[in-house]
Amino acid sequence: MADIGDYCCSIDRHLHELLDDAHSQRERTERQEQAYQAPQLYYVVHVSEAEKLSESGSSFIAYSISFGDYEVKRRYSEFESLRSCLCRLYPTFIVPPIPEKHSLAQYAVLQKRAKEDHHIIERRKRMLERFLNHMAEHPILSSEHIFHRFLEAGVSWTEVLHSPVITGLPKTPLHSSPSKAPGSSIADGSALQLPKIAATNAFAADVPVPSALAPIKNIEARWMDCELFTNKYANQFSTVIERNERRIYRKLGELSSDYAELGATLNGFSLLDHPESLAAAIEQAGQAVDNSYIEIGELLTQMEADVGEPVHQYAQYSLILKQVLRFRLLKNLQLEGVESALVRVRGKLESLLQADDEAKRLAQALESNHHGRRHTVAGQSIDEYTPSAPAHDQADEE
């Protein structure tokens, strides 16, 4: 466990204490059972209930979040804005997904009751709980203070969204750049020195945003392999596994409806004039069919929570991976654009330096020539204007 001074607030410390306790409990269980347990998500944060609240004349569903002695209520739009802020702060991180908004089909069928549908609310509760626990276990995002403010009771989330940390972010993550200053995320590998927010570089705002269709000159083989694997992974989950899971779920739902209809028919048929033994047999058959209907209903509920939602979440992760890879691609294009601009500017600078050197040499030559001419003119003037000796002096000399 880290020292108390390593935590930014009491919520940060409490979350890590709960995670440490859960990890210790799993280790004790493995030692007692002498069997390896596959890694599982530590559920230290719980979304216990959902209730309808009203504010400023509008109603919404609030989800109760509890962990240890802490409890806070947040609405779905606040979960959505939290994840959006984290994606802007850490564009190279795989931020865990949340359930999507209501589809147009759900709004068309349920209309105003779409937000209050029990099935949708329960599904959201489970997926939002997974999101919070994935965040709590993340080695860096779990220490993000914005996440702690989200879990703190009595904190206005609107005020958090209007804080300088959020409003000071550039409109696009492509105009932000990680810093190599001490304590930044890429300065070293120490988790305790990672930043609470993503560092930005003011000079990056002047770099134009490239088009994703622009060709890349130099691309590493590992990134090509990563993109190929991600596309294969996304296709496998979205078009194969998830589609087959939905088909099985739909078939079981149809079978459940058939059992419900058959059970009702047999129970009604047993009430007609039949011999007592035959009526009892028909009634027992109807009860068996009713039990099958109930069991299939429970199977569908369990299947959705334990199979359907995790499979859908994996499909969401594939899309997140694509977004992160696309960000890396655009950053690579930005880097190549900056390198090309630097080459052009360096060429102009060298030509300007050469022209400056030529100008200096010319100025020196002109200056030396000018001094030489002044000396020549001065010598000629002395010889030309020196007075001649008197005539009688010349005669005496003769």
Side-chain angles (χ1 to χ4, degrees):
M1 182 182 296
D3 297 333
I4 294 178
D6 298 329
Y7 303 115
C8 68
C9 61
S10 59
I11 291 181
D12 186 17
R13 180 179 62 204
H14 192 59
L15 279 175
H16 285 85
E17 287 176 351
L18 292 174
L19 287 171
D20 290 341
D21 292 342
H23 182 69
S24 300
Q25 179 64 31
R26 176 173 295 177
E27 288 183 343
R28 288 193 297 269
T29 303
E30 288 182 354
R31 286 195 299 266
Q32 291 173 1
E33 297 180 357
Q34 296 182 352
Y36 169 76
Q37 292 185 353
Q40 295 179 355
L41 187 66
Y42 295 127
Y43 281 89
V44 297
V45 184
H46 304 281
V47 179
S48 54
E49 61 180 10
E51 59 178 323
K52 185 178 179 180
L53 300 178
S54 298
E55 182 179 313
S56 302
S58 61
S59 60
F60 58 90
I61 302 297
Y63 299 90
S64 297
I65 305 169
S66 60
F67 56 101
D69 299 330
Y70 293 87
E71 185 173 358
V72 64
K73 297 182 185 296
R74 296 295 183 191
R75 55 193 300 179
Y76 172 80
S77 59
E78 293 174 337
F79 279 92
E80 189 178 25
S81 59
L82 168 64
R83 188 181 183 279
S84 175
C85 291
L86 293 173
C87 290
R88 293 174 63 193
L89 285 167
Y90 302 95
T92 59
F93 285 12
I94 301 175
V95 182
I98 62 173
E100 299 93 341
K101 292 182 177 180
H102 300 295
S103 64
L104 294 177
Q106 290 172 333
Y107 272 114
V109 174
L110 300 174
Q111 297 180 358
K112 295 182 179 181
R113 294 184 295 108
K115 294 182 179 180
E116 304 175 13
D117 183 75
H118 177 74
H119 175 75
I120 295 176
I121 291 175
E122 290 299 317
R123 183 173 183 271
R124 276 190 172 180
K125 281 174 54 179
R126 293 188 296 267
M127 296 191 73
L128 291 175
E129 186 174 86
R130 289 194 188 97
F131 165 73
L132 293 175
N133 283 281
H134 278 296
M135 286 288 300
E137 290 193 30
H138 197 283
I140 298 176
L141 297 180
S142 61
S143 299
E144 172 56 55
H145 192 54
I146 293 178
F147 176 54
H148 306 151
R149 298 284 285 173
F150 182 82
L151 298 176
E152 186 176 352
V155 173
S156 172
W157 186 243
T158 303
E159 294 181 1
V160 176
L161 294 179
H162 288 84
S163 62
V165 174
I166 304 300
T167 57
L169 291 173
K171 294 182 179 180
T172 170
L174 290 169
H175 282 162
S176 64
S177 178
S179 171
K180 291 186 178 181
S184 69
S185 59
I186 59 175
D188 49 59
S190 175
L192 299 179
Q193 296 184 6
L194 291 172
K196 294 302 178 185
I197 61 172
T200 57
N201 188 344
F203 296 102
D206 298 329
V207 179
V209 177
S211 171
L213 301 178
I216 300 180
K217 299 178 182 177
N218 301 315
I219 182 170
E220 298 182 23
R222 58 171 181 159
W223 292 116
M224 295 181 62
D225 296 339
C226 187
E227 289 185 5
L228 291 174
F229 173 80
T230 301
N231 291 332
K232 183 179 179 180
Y233 168 84
N235 182 69
Q236 191 72 17
F237 269 94
S238 301
T239 62
V240 180
I241 298 178
E242 193 172 18
R243 181 183 299 175
N244 290 330
E245 185 273 332
R246 290 175 181 174
R247 184 183 297 113
I248 294 172
Y249 189 87
R250 185 176 63 253
K251 293 295 184 181
L252 286 175
E254 294 173 356
L255 180 61
S256 177
S257 300
D258 293 340
Y259 273 133
E261 184 178 354
L262 178 59
T265 301
L266 290 175
N267 291 330
F269 187 64
S270 65
L271 299 177
L272 300 178
D273 294 335
H274 296 295
E276 184 176 353
S277 59
L278 180 59
I282 295 175
E283 184 179 3
Q284 290 179 357
Q287 292 176 353
V289 173
D290 289 339
N291 290 333
S292 298
Y293 161 74
I294 296 173
E295 292 292 335
I296 292 176
E298 294 177 353
L299 174 63
L300 287 173
T301 302
Q302 197 72 18
M303 180 179 174
E304 181 180 16
D306 296 342
V307 179
E309 291 171 8
V311 167
H312 180 67
Q313 195 173 47
Y314 280 119
Q316 287 180 300
Y317 270 113
S318 66
L319 298 178
I320 296 172
L321 286 170
K322 284 186 174 182
Q323 292 172 357
V324 173
L325 288 174
R326 183 177 183 275
F327 177 80
R328 191 214 66 81
L329 170 66
L330 294 177
K331 273 295 183 184
N332 195 355
L333 290 172
Q334 273 188 324
L335 176 62
E336 291 183 355
V338 171
E339 289 176 346
S340 300
L342 286 175
V343 170
R344 292 193 300 269
V345 172
R346 189 178 290 111
K348 291 181 180 179
L349 177 61
E350 290 177 354
S351 63
L352 290 174
L353 291 175
Q354 291 176 359
D356 185 62
D357 292 339
E358 291 291 337
K360 288 181 179 179
R361 286 195 295 269
L362 181 60
Q364 291 176 355
L366 291 174
E367 186 176 0
S368 61
N369 187 24
H370 179 66
H371 283 298
R373 292 181 61 187
R374 285 184 61 186
H375 288 306
T376 303
V377 172
Q380 291 177 355
S381 300
I382 292 172
D383 295 339
E384 188 174 346
Y385 293 102
T386 300
S388 301
H392 61 272
D393 290 340
Q394 296 177 0
D396 292 340
E397 289 177 358
E398 291 177 356

